[in-house]
Amino acid sequence: MKLTIQEKEMAEGKQGNAIKKSMEILVALGEIYGAEKLIDVKSVQIAGVSYDNLGDAGLEFLEELAKDGKTRVLTTLNPAGMDMENYKALGIPEDFAVKQKKVIEAFTKMGVLPTCTCTPYLIGNNPHFGEHIAWSESSAVAYANSVLGAYTNREGGPSALASALTGKTALYGMHLDENREAKIKIKVETEIKGTHIFGALGKVIGEKVKAKPTYITGIKEASIEELKSFSASIATYGGAAIFHMEGITPNKTTIPSEEIIVTQADIGKAIKEMTMDDCEVDFISVGCPHASLNELAKLAELLKGKKVKKEFWVTTARPTKRIADMAGYSKIIEEAGAKFAADTCCVVAPIKGRFKCLATDSAKGCYYAYSKNQSKTKIMPIEKLVEEACK
Ligand code: F3S
């Protein structure tokens, strides 16, 4: 891989140890994937923030880089393992909290903004069409490539941090137009409406075509919330980093001739698979990916004057929560007995085994609740979640 004079100096350690280590990661990845050179990136999103996933080895790696590493571009963070302010009310143990705070301190020392959200595009890290970025968090990657028209690979936590500290990434994969072209057409022959149904569609397509870029027809309209749900689901169930939705997403692509049809029966089957029998709901969660202001407004409207009788977490970005505070939504939601879990989510928090049956509107949430947290699941629209919570 060709490096510029400045990049060679970075790789040789002339700009410090953190830059040297970062260049090792980026050059190794570039060589594995046959990149011809490095390119500049405009923003970074780093996943792998929960101490539950990082452990002590991950924390040590971050503290080592934080000795002389400083971000060179706008860099935001994925959810942590706990609400950084309200963790006690959510039952997070103190020894976990101590370690989680150290993780955030190491990132903050490097200049990473402790946004702790998987929807950076809702709180100010919002790249524009055609911009090259280096993001981890599969749902945000699919959203950035497909809905915003930015260019990013599905980075891992260490490679995203390496990009943050150098402002660079290797030119391969999703940074090249030829790899973003649709390979298969998906004709949707049923009405798709609501975040849980968009999530079910992502599961159906992801399982049918895996990570292949798709050209999807038959969707009449899609809100930001529906697109974030779909992005999370297609990335979770298939590993896709990009999709094209006719009349909705902005990227150009040739339209493939191979076609798969999605019917109401496919959507019904996906919903059934995520709605398990013998499952008495004891945990309800809204906000996977993190809830938008619109979703918090709707939730406040639905919960007004009611009382929830089950553990109910609303996961969102802290800046979104602050605006919800100003608008009065938070007060209504909390008076109903639901709890905000800002900075975190029910997948990365250390709650394995604590709940038996999660109800959510998120297909991605169902996947991880079952596979990581050993919880059964039920998927339903937000209106039904509120009914379930108040039963
Ligand atoms: Fe975000 Fe957690 Fe869901 S990181 S996409 S809320 S699993």
Side-chain angles (χ1 to χ4, degrees):
M1 196 167 64
K2 273 192 223 136
L3 297 183
T4 63
I5 294 169
Q6 192 213 19
E7 287 164 355
K8 279 186 189 149
E9 285 179 4
M10 291 161 80
E12 285 160 6
K14 292 186 179 148
Q15 295 185 20
N17 189 44
I19 296 279
K20 182 171 187 274
K21 278 201 156 72
S22 299
M23 288 296 282
E24 276 167 19
I25 295 171
L26 297 179
V27 170
L29 277 172
E31 282 172 356
I32 290 167
Y33 289 104
E36 155 202 329
K37 60 177 184 172
L38 296 176
I39 53 168
D40 291 342
V41 292
K42 290 285 175 13
S43 93
V44 170
Q45 163 78 1
I46 301 175
V49 182
S50 172
Y51 176 72
D52 202 33
N53 300 330
L54 284 168
D56 284 330
L59 174 57
E60 273 165 34
F61 172 76
L62 291 174
E63 286 177 334
E64 180 60 31
L65 286 185
K67 283 181 184 157
D68 68 344
K70 282 278 174 267
T71 56
R72 295 190 174 187
V73 292
L74 174 68
T75 304
T76 47
L77 266 193
N78 228 36
M82 63 182 203
D83 185 307
M84 299 304 293
E85 292 177 8
N86 193 30
Y87 64 90
K88 285 191 182 130
L90 298 165
I92 304 297
E94 194 56 40
D95 55 341
F96 180 90
V98 169
K99 298 283 191 174
Q100 185 62 72
K101 283 180 192 167
K102 284 190 175 174
V103 169
I104 300 298
E105 269 164 33
F107 277 123
T108 310
K109 194 171 166 207
M110 288 185 266
V112 178
L113 296 169
T115 48
C116 298
T117 182
C118 50
T119 55
Y121 45 90
L122 295 180
I123 54 113
N125 189 354
N126 193 24
H128 64 68
F129 185 84
E131 211 163 60
H132 289 268
I133 60 177
W135 281 19
S136 43
E137 172 46 43
S138 62
S139 67
V141 165
Y143 189 97
N145 278 323
S146 315
V147 180
L148 304 178
Y151 286 62
T152 180
N153 283 318
R154 274 173 68 139
E155 300 292 344
S159 65
L161 179 55
S163 290
L165 300 180
T166 58
K168 300 198 175 275
T169 194
L171 179 62
Y172 69 92
M174 284 292 122
H175 291 285
L176 299 168
D177 283 326
E178 64 262 32
N179 298 326
R180 299 165 64 89
E181 289 277 315
K183 301 283 183 300
I184 188 157
K185 187 173 169 187
I186 308 286
K187 193 172 171 204
V188 180
E189 292 192 334
T190 182
E191 192 189 13
I192 303 294
K193 202 170 171 21
T195 49
H196 69 304
I197 299 293
F198 269 85
L201 178 66
K203 171 169 155 60
V204 171
I205 297 175
E207 287 176 347
K208 279 185 195 284
V209 307
K210 302 295 171 222
K212 278 186 195 163
T214 43
Y215 184 81
I216 303 161
T217 67
I219 308 287
K220 292 197 188 73
E221 55 183 356
S223 65
I224 287 174
E225 291 74 19
E226 288 166 335
L227 288 167
K228 81 176 164 63
S229 173
F230 180 76
S231 300
S233 179
I234 197 169
T236 297
Y237 289 92
I242 191 168
F243 60 87
H244 306 269
M245 216 176 252
E246 192 175 69
I248 291 171
T249 58
N251 293 300
K252 282 201 183 118
T253 179
T254 47
I255 301 176
S257 50
E258 188 185 348
E259 179 178 282
I260 286 180
I261 291 176
V262 173
T263 64
Q264 180 54 38
D266 294 312
I267 299 296
K269 182 169 169 278
I271 294 282
K272 202 157 182 275
E273 284 165 359
M274 293 183 281
T275 305
M276 300 172 184
D277 296 330
D278 304 329
C279 174
E280 191 64 36
V281 173
D282 59 353
F283 184 33
I284 292 159
S285 177
V286 169
C288 172
H290 272 174
S292 67
L293 270 178
N294 269 335
E295 286 170 311
L296 296 183
K298 186 170 179 185
L299 191 58
E301 192 185 313
L302 291 166
L303 282 172
K304 195 166 189 174
K306 300 200 176 110
K307 281 278 173 228
V308 304
K309 298 192 178 112
K310 293 169 187 163
E311 185 80 2
F312 192 137
W313 286 17
V314 184
T315 54
T316 191
R318 190 161 297 283
T320 310
K321 159 89 168 50
R322 293 264 192 265
I323 302 173
D325 293 348
M326 286 155 51
Y329 307 148
S330 309
K331 190 165 179 279
I332 298 171
I333 292 168
E334 286 175 328
E335 275 177 0
K339 294 172 187 165
F340 274 96
D343 314 315
T344 188
C345 80
C346 57
V347 168
V348 296
I351 55 170
K352 188 173 175 179
R354 199 167 132 195
F355 303 104
K356 301 268 177 301
C357 182
L358 169 76
T360 175
D361 65 334
S362 166
K364 177 175 178 177
C366 288
Y367 179 91
Y368 283 105
Y370 189 68
S371 61
K372 179 173 180 279
N373 287 341
Q374 297 171 345
S375 166
K376 290 192 171 182
T377 62
K378 285 189 190 286
I379 192 164
M380 55 187 82
I382 192 166
E383 294 82 0
K384 292 265 178 238
L385 289 174
V386 169
E387 273 176 31
E388 182 67 50
C390 297
K391 263 191 204 164

